[in-house]
Every structure is written in C-alpha cells, then in structure tokens.
C-alpha cells in the first residue's frame, strides 16, 4: 500500500501531536526487540543518517511526516514514515533528478552576538495560543497554559523557520515546568508535572 | 493483555512488527540504489551505519555513564551541568546536533522521558528507541497519566513521590539518572553498570537489585 499523498495545505494541528489524546490503548512492550525488524528499516535509517544535514534538515524532515494524511500516518509503520519523508525531501531538493546532485548545505552557524534571554529560571510564563500554518514544536496540550521556567538553553534554530526555508533564526529555549493540574485538571496529581522545552517566541510573561 | 484487545485499539504499530508491505521494501532498496548510483552514498557507508546502530550503540553506553555518576560525585555534578562534556570524558561520541540533558532521580522525585510530537530519544547513549517509545499509546499517555503508564511497566511510584515527565520537544535529549540501589556499596563501577537497565534511563523502570551475595 502506497502512502496517501500529502494534504495540500500546510498543517500544524496534526495527528502527530499526540500528548493527552485518548483511545490508543495499552502500551505494547516487545521483549528482546531487535534494533531493526527488517533489512529495509536499517537501510532507511542509514539513508537518513547519510543525507540529513546535507540536503535537508531535521525540521523539514519532521514537517513532511506531519503533513501526511492522518490515517496514512497512523497506518504506516515507523520507518515507512521515514522512507516517505526521505523520498519526498530528496525529490523536492532535486537530489534525485538526473544530472549531478546539488551541493550539500553548509552547516548552520550560531550567531556570536546574541541578545540576552527574555526569561530566567524561576520566571512564570504562559505558552502562547499559537496555531500557525506550518511546522511548530509547541504541543497543543500546553497552549494557553502557565508554568515555571527552570533553565535557559540554546540558542537553537527556530523550527518554525528552519522547516520553511529560513535557516538563520535562533532563539533561546526554556524547559518550562507545568503542574499536572494546570494541564489536566483537578483529577490529576497535585505533585506531578510535565516539562516542555519551548522556544522564546512561544512564551509570554505572566504578571 | 491479549493480542485481540490490542488490535481493537491500534492495529499497525504492533509490539512485534507487522509484515512490511513489499512495496515499502522495494522503495527502500530502489532509493538506496539511486543514491549509490549518484555517488551520494556508498553501500559500505550504508552497511557501516547499520552495523553501528546494531552493534556499537546501545544502553550499555548509558549504563557506563550512570555507574560512573554513582561512584564519582564530581562526575555526577558535571553530568547534570553539561552532559555532553561529561559523557565525552568517558570517550563517548557527542558529535550529534542534539544536546544531552541528564535529569536525576532523588528521594521524593522520579523522572521519565517521552517525545509526544515524534520520537526524540538520547540514542547516542541508549541506542535507537524501542517500538513502544515511538508508539501512539506511550506518546499520548505518558504526559497525561504517567502513574498508570508506569504501572503497566510494573513500576509503582508512591503517591508522596513527585513525578516529573520531560517532553523532548527541542534539541535537548533527556536521559534519566536513576538512584543507586541500596545494598550496592561494595560493588565496583563495572558491576554497577550491569544493574542499569535501558528502561531505568527512560524512567519507566528501576535499576536491577543486586543478587544476594553469600
């Protein structure tokens, strides 16, 4: 069965964003699981390792998978999604066309002069309620929720830009701790929390 | 849980692998041939990458890191502050775009990791992730009901222990540093590493308890 074509529009609220969903059932644990279940899976993993960062980046790769039609995403085995993404990107980037392949991309260069981070450990912050068209690494289950910044990391490339042709936008990333009750309501544990790494532009200060 | 129950929920991403549709295999082989023909990859490179994942990288690397942290408090401190540099001290490769971030269990705190958006995992120290880690049940439930998930792994965390779930949404790759089991005071570093399981470094398991010594 071939994978269904991508949805025409770019998609952000896709089925890949699974945190908090119901209905997938119990976790099935395979004992003595091999690294690869078939030879072709290892080949797909190797093709990815040999081409990512040269002809496409990880955010572009993720976004192709996110663009898959939701039922096709769920029906595909893991490395089938990867194969779909690698085929699509190598085709889109002209690597598979006849003639010589395009030159590999230069690795991203982190800027040396970078403004100070907007948040510091201990600050309260709210995840913005963003639903842009395109790639984003802001899970639905934290949008609009408030938490506490626990550290400052990066700067890292902004996935939203890096997946869409702009490979030079860097932002600090903050692990933000959300109380389980803030995310899931009064039935959740009063002690537990979920920490999510959020780029600076995903956050607003809570006064 | 029976196979039947599982099929009702989620037929494809099975604990063991379903039969690959033959056209997937054919597509993978065709892509490999084309990339070799165009000089982008060699078959030796493909074989070497597969061999590395199958033989060289795995939870034994993370276990070495954990055992060192158990016997060397200064290393433990460096590991938590800058994990890439610390694991480099053990000769482990950190030539990866992602940065390792180690979160330590301690009395009253239990950590576990997940990637709800895809399958981010500290593979440079744990090897490639198991299928369950990449599957919709774990990705959807670990953040919402971690205690129920842990029970499915046979781990019971008391109510008065705080559970911190880390959703790996950025370039940071989280690994859990489990607590050193009691009764291991006399054990050497290499013996301690034998107690460290993959699942204990994901946070869905605990280290093995040492066998009683005569």
């Amino acid at each position: 069965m071939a994978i269904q074509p991508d949805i025409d529009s770019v998609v952000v609220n896709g089925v890949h964003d699974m945190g908090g969903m119901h209905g997938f059932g119990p976790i099935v644990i395979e004992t003595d699981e091999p690294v690869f279940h078939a030879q072709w899976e290892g080949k797909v993993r190797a093709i990815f390792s040999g081409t990512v960062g040269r002809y496409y980046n990880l955010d572009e790769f993720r976004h192709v998978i996110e663009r898959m039609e939701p039922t096709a995403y769920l029906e595909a085995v893991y490395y089938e999604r990867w194969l779909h993404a690698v085929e699509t990107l190598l085709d889109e980037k002209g690597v598979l066309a006849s003639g010589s392949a395009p030159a590999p991309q230069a690795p991203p260069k982190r800027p040396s002069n970078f403004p100070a981070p907007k948040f510091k450990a201990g600050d309260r912050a709210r995840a913005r309620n963003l639903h842009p068209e395109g790639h984003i690494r802001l899970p639905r289950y934290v949008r609009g929720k408030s938490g506490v910044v626990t550290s400052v990391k990066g700067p890292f490339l902004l996935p939203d830009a890096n997946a869409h042709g702009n490979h030079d936008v860097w932002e600090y990333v903050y692990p933000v701790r959300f109380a389980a009750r803030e995310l899931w309501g009064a039935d959740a544990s009063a002690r537990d929390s979920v920490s999510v790494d959020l780029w600076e532009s995903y956050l607003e200060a809570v006064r | 849980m029976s196979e039947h129950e599982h099929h009702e929920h989620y037929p494809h991403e099975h604990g063991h692998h379903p039969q690959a549709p033959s056209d997937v295999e054919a597509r993978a082989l065709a892509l490999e041939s084309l990339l070799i023909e165009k000089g982008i990859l060699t078959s030796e490179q493909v074989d070497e990458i597969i061999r590395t994942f199958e033989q060289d990288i795995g939870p034994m690397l993370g276990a070495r890191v954990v055992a060192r942290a158990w016997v060397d408090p200064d290393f433990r401190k460096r590991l938590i502050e800058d994990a890439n540099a610390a694991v480099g001290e053990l000769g482990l490769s950190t030539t990866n775009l992602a940065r390792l971030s180690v979160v330590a269990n301690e009395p009253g705190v239990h950590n576990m990791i997940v990637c709800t958006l895809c399958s981010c995992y500290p593979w440079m120290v744990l090897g490639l992730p198991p299928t369950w880690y990449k599957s919709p049940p774990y990705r959807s439930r670990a953040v919402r009901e971690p205690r129920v998930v842990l029970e499915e792994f046979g781990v019971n965390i008391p109510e008065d222990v705080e559970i911190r779930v880390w959703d790996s949404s950025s370039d940071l790759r989280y690994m859990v540093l489990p607590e050193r089991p009691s009764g291991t005071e006399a054990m050497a570093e290499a013996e301690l590493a034998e107690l460290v399981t993959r699942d204990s470094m994901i946070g869905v398991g605990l280290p093995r308890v040492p066998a009683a010594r005569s």
Side-chain angles (χ1 to χ4, degrees), chain A residues 44-45 48-49 61 65 68 77-87, chain B residues 119:
Chain A
V44 170
R45 188 64 180 74
F48 168 81
S49 294
F61 174 81
I65 292 178
M68 288 173 70
V77 299
Y78 184 72
Y79 282 110
E80 198 177 348
R81 287 179 221 143
W82 281 47
L83 176 62
H84 167 73
V86 171
E87 283 174 338
Chain B
S119 54

Side-chain angles (χ1 to χ4, degrees), chain A residues 1-3 15-30 33 35-47 49-51 54-55 58 62 66 73-84 86-87 90 94-101 108 110 136-141 150 153 156-157 173 175 177 183-184 188-189 191-199, chain B residues 1 3 5-6 9-10 12-18 20-21 23-25 27-29 31-32 34-35 38-41 45-47 49-50 53-55 57 80-81 97 99 101 111 114-120 123 128-132 134-147 149 152-153 159-174 198-199:
Chain A
M1 176 198 69
I3 287 182
V15 73
H16 70 282
D17 186 357
M18 291 181 174
M21 285 176 74
H22 291 88
F24 287 118
I27 294 154
V28 178
I29 301 160
E30 180 181 349
E33 185 178 349
V35 174
F36 300 112
H37 290 78
Q39 188 198 36
W40 70 268
E41 294 193 340
K43 289 187 183 293
V44 170
R45 188 64 180 74
I47 291 168
S49 294
T51 53
R54 293 173 70 197
Y55 301 106
L58 191 55
R62 288 181 180 137
E66 292 161 6
Y73 178 102
L74 292 172
E75 286 181 352
V77 299
Y78 184 72
Y79 282 110
E80 198 177 348
R81 287 179 221 143
W82 281 47
L83 176 62
H84 167 73
V86 171
E87 283 174 338
L90 291 176
V95 178
L96 303 181
S98 58
S100 54
R110 196 186 290 227
I136 192 167
R137 295 287 286 181
L138 173 64
R140 271 204 289 281
Y141 73 88
T150 57
K153 305 286 186 180
F156 296 136
L157 283 167
V173 167
R177 182 170 296 156
L183 300 175
W184 315 114
S189 159
R191 282 199 177 77
D192 299 349
S193 63
V194 181
S195 180
V196 185
D197 297 340
L198 299 175
W199 275 258
Chain B
M1 149 198 46
E3 293 282 283
E5 278 177 280
H6 179 64
H9 287 291
Y10 195 69
H12 291 277
E13 205 146 283
H14 205 263
H16 71 76
H17 220 261
D23 80 329
V24 176
E25 181 172 12
R27 278 163 51 202
L29 295 174
L31 183 60
E32 180 194 26
L34 186 54
L35 293 173
K38 293 183 73 69
I40 289 167
L41 289 174
Q45 283 174 316
V46 170
D47 292 345
I49 294 169
I50 294 171
F53 280 121
E54 288 188 329
Q55 295 177 25
I57 305 177
I80 288 164
E81 282 168 4
L97 289 175
R99 294 196 65 80
S101 186
N111 295 281
V114 62
C115 175
T116 63
L117 296 174
C118 51
S119 54
C120 299
W123 59 263
L128 294 176
T131 295
W132 60 257
K134 306 180 285 191
S135 72
Y138 186 73
R139 287 166 54 191
S140 61
R141 296 173 55 211
V143 290
R144 182 172 54 81
E145 48 179 17
R147 289 172 188 273
V149 167
E152 284 177 32
F153 283 91
E159 270 304 314
D160 61 354
V161 172
E162 172 188 348
I163 295 181
R164 294 180 183 165
V165 181
W166 300 81
D167 188 351
S168 315
S169 53
S170 78
D171 295 353
L172 303 172
R173 295 290 174 276
Y174 289 97
R198 177 196 69 198
D199 286 1

